[in-house]
Amino acid sequence: MKKLLLLFFVAFVCTNTMGQLVFKGVPMTGTVDNFVEELWNRGGLGIYERSKGRVWMKGDFAGYTNCQIVISPIEGKNLINSVLVKFPTCYNWQCLISKYTELKEMLITKYGTPSSIVEKFNAGYIDDSQKIKEINYGRCSWYTLFNTSQGTIKLAIATHILNSAVVIIEYTNKTGVNNNKATAIEDL
């Protein structure tokens, strides 16, 4: 009987967390406040701003220091929808592509083969010295996407301030996407 109860408990715990993405060991489930509190309790991240339901944190992530982390709710609710990590700014292509490549390899190790990879400049070949400018002008698509049963993980190169760019990873819960879609359908 004890074995049966233990088996039931393990199955219950697994089914309650298997449907959610996990960020820094914390399931992306429940309220934004509870999620942030759990991240805070694990250490390595500090809160520095709250606005319109979003929480901005700063700290260590995936071996990098001084990362900015933005936790966003499902629109109109206090339930967690996505976590965006912005890695430290790069001012040259070599810094940017080495960071992107290292993170891509780590994500492939964890999540397997990407669902899609797009890595191109609109103008074709661009000299390394011009690549940051092309990114700033929006003439570059550089991302790797992982679709999982729990949601999506997108690694990308994004514009930052003039003459710089950043690598970002965005974790988006499938639950949040489905809730937004259900609400939109309900509106119809």
Side-chain angles (χ1 to χ4, degrees):
M1 182 66 172
K2 286 182 183 180
K3 287 181 182 179
L4 184 60
L5 286 173
L6 181 62
L7 183 62
F8 177 73
F9 177 74
V10 169
F12 177 75
V13 170
C14 288
T15 56
N16 279 339
T17 59
M18 281 178 51
Q20 302 296 320
L21 286 175
V22 175
F23 179 79
K24 286 189 69 91
V26 179
M28 290 175 54
T29 185
T31 67
V32 170
D33 294 334
N34 289 344
F35 180 74
V36 168
E37 183 179 348
E38 185 68 30
L39 285 175
W40 174 268
N41 290 338
R42 288 178 182 251
L45 295 176
I47 300 170
Y48 72 92
E49 188 175 335
R50 288 178 182 263
S51 176
K52 297 181 182 176
R54 290 190 172 118
V55 177
W56 282 261
M57 300 181 88
K58 207 167 218 171
D60 302 340
F61 184 74
Y64 290 89
T65 59
N66 206 26
C67 296
Q68 181 181 5
I69 293 133
V70 182
I71 297 131
S72 299
I74 295 171
E75 193 172 323
K77 300 180 180 179
N78 187 30
L79 300 174
I80 187 156
N81 182 49
S82 66
V83 176
L84 182 126
V85 180
K86 185 169 76 172
F87 291 86
T89 304
C90 290
Y91 296 93
N92 63 63
W93 177 249
Q94 190 55 44
C95 167
L96 197 59
I97 196 62
S98 64
K99 197 175 292 185
Y100 175 88
T101 302
E102 179 184 24
L103 291 164
K104 180 178 168 182
E105 289 169 4
M106 287 192 276
L107 287 166
I108 288 171
T109 299
K110 183 169 183 175
Y111 296 105
T113 304
S115 306
S116 64
I117 300 173
V118 175
E119 297 173 342
K120 66 177 183 152
F121 286 93
N122 296 354
Y125 175 78
I126 303 289
D127 182 73
D128 281 0
S129 65
Q130 298 299 308
K131 288 181 178 176
I132 298 288
K133 286 182 183 175
E134 291 297 303
I135 293 164
N136 289 158
Y137 293 138
R139 297 188 292 236
C140 169
S141 295
W142 212 278
Y143 65 88
T144 301
L145 186 66
F146 298 85
N147 285 317
T148 72
S149 59
Q150 297 90 14
T152 60
I153 299 97
K154 182 177 184 180
L155 170 71
I157 289 177
T159 188
H160 187 48
I161 55 174
L162 191 59
N163 297 322
S164 69
V166 293
V167 174
I168 62 168
I169 299 177
E170 184 170 23
Y171 298 80
T172 305
N173 254 342
K174 193 172 198 172
T175 305
V177 172
N178 288 342
N179 282 344
N180 285 340
K181 194 173 189 177
T183 302
I185 290 170
E186 198 173 288
D187 287 350
L188 297 172

